[in-house]
């Protein structure tokens, strides 16, 4: 599939500056949720560009460097585990995407948002936008954003969090609820990086 088809449709409607937006890390038990906003040069050729989930870690790292070097503008933002607990994950995702869009040095005419949600109960996407289900596999801009969000989050969790809390093995599972992660929780209990609202089932099992 041509990843520029959706962008062309919007350019033809008069939206000159398009920005792809996606988030990463909604599901893990620990760590922040990240989002990225990317404005690519028109029809930029990026070999191997795809939804970040369909790429190997090595390929994502290569594409991350390529995108950040050649994008017209890009921004990465996050919402902490504590903020996620204070809101909920849907509102936190919207907040992360808002922060990424606001962090751009250029104001886009239209944001292409991955997924079918543009608001939670307390936070809405504020910039002009359209939502695209499966956008990270259909749009070059969203695919680029998905890679920046995923790589940024993985780097933070596997480097920063793993160094702070080595007993949990964050570098291996990236905060997701693996068997090893639950075993570490059973042994050590939660750390400040854990999302307490995501541990309800684990806590109930322990009682």
């Amino acid at each position: 599939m041509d990843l520029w088809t959706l962008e062309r449709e919007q350019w033809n409607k008069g939206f000159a500056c398009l920005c792809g937006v996606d988030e990463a890390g909604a599901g893990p038990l620990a760590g922040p949720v990240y989002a990225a906003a990317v404005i690519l040069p028109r029809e930029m050729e990026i070999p191997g560009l795809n939804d970040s989930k369909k790429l190997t870690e090595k390929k994502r790292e290569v594409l991350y460097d390529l995108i950040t070097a050649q994008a017209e503008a890009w921004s990465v933002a996050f919402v902490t585990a504590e903020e996620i607990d204070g809101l909920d994950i849907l509102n936190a995702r919207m907040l992360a995407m808002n922060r990424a869009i606001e962090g751009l040095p250029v104001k886009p005419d239209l944001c292409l948002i991955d997924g079918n949600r543009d608001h939670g109960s307390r936070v809405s996407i504020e910039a002009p936008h359209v939502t695209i289900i499966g956008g990270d596999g259909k749009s070059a801009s969203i695919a680029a954003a998905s890679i920046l969000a995923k790589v940024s989050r993985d780097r933070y969790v596997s480097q920063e969090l793993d160094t702070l809390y080595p007993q949990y093995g964050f570098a291996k599972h990236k905060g997701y609820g693996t068997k090893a992660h639950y075993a570490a929780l059973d042994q050590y209990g939660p750390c400040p990086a854990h999302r307490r609202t995501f541990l309800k089932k684990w806590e109930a099992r322990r009682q």
Side-chain angles (χ1 to χ4, degrees):
M1 183 180 170
D2 183 348
L3 288 179
W4 287 103
T5 304
L6 292 170
E7 277 84 349
R8 283 188 208 108
E9 286 173 9
Q10 299 301 338
W11 289 329
N12 290 339
K13 291 176 186 174
F15 297 105
C17 182
L18 298 178
C19 158
V21 187
D22 199 5
E23 42 81 18
L29 307 177
V33 61
Y34 268 72
V38 182
I39 300 170
L40 294 174
R42 286 196 182 202
E43 311 272 353
M44 176 183 167
E45 190 66 40
I46 307 175
L49 182 66
N50 204 339
D51 170 3
S52 66
K53 296 185 288 295
K54 295 176 182 169
L55 301 168
T56 63
E57 186 174 350
K58 193 175 177 182
K59 184 67 178 168
R60 285 195 299 265
E61 290 281 351
V62 170
L63 286 168
Y64 177 96
D65 292 341
L66 194 67
I67 293 160
T68 53
Q70 297 188 35
E72 287 185 6
W74 63 276
S75 166
V76 172
F78 63 87
V79 171
T80 66
E82 192 177 7
E83 288 177 301
I84 292 167
D85 286 340
L87 290 162
D88 63 35
I89 190 59
L90 177 58
N91 282 293
R93 284 170 52 211
M94 299 303 126
L95 181 57
M97 288 195 277
N98 272 341
R99 285 177 177 172
I101 296 162
E102 286 163 8
L104 288 167
V106 181
K107 197 169 183 180
D109 297 323
L110 188 72
C111 298
L112 309 178
I113 310 282
D114 183 54
N116 63 348
R117 304 298 291 268
D118 63 357
H119 68 280
S121 58
R122 292 160 65 184
V123 184
S124 300
I125 301 294
E126 291 159 6
H129 65 276
V130 291
T131 57
I132 300 161
I133 296 169
D136 43 10
K138 297 175 183 173
S139 152
S141 305
I142 297 176
S146 80
I147 289 163
L148 264 53
K150 172 80 174 144
V151 171
S152 298
R153 186 183 187 280
D154 284 356
R155 285 179 181 176
Y156 174 77
V157 174
S158 58
Q159 293 167 20
E160 305 278 331
L161 287 189
D162 194 66
T163 302
L164 283 170
Y165 311 107
Q167 66 271 37
Y168 296 99
F170 285 127
K172 287 183 180 164
H173 53 65
K174 308 294 191 287
Y176 283 88
T178 63
K179 201 172 175 182
H181 192 176
Y182 278 114
L185 275 167
D186 289 340
Q187 187 173 354
Y188 303 107
C191 73
H194 279 99
R195 307 171 182 178
R196 300 308 288 253
T197 49
F198 280 52
L199 300 179
K200 297 281 173 65
K201 285 182 182 174
W202 171 77
E203 285 170 349
R205 202 178 72 227
R206 305 242 306 166
Q207 286 167 3

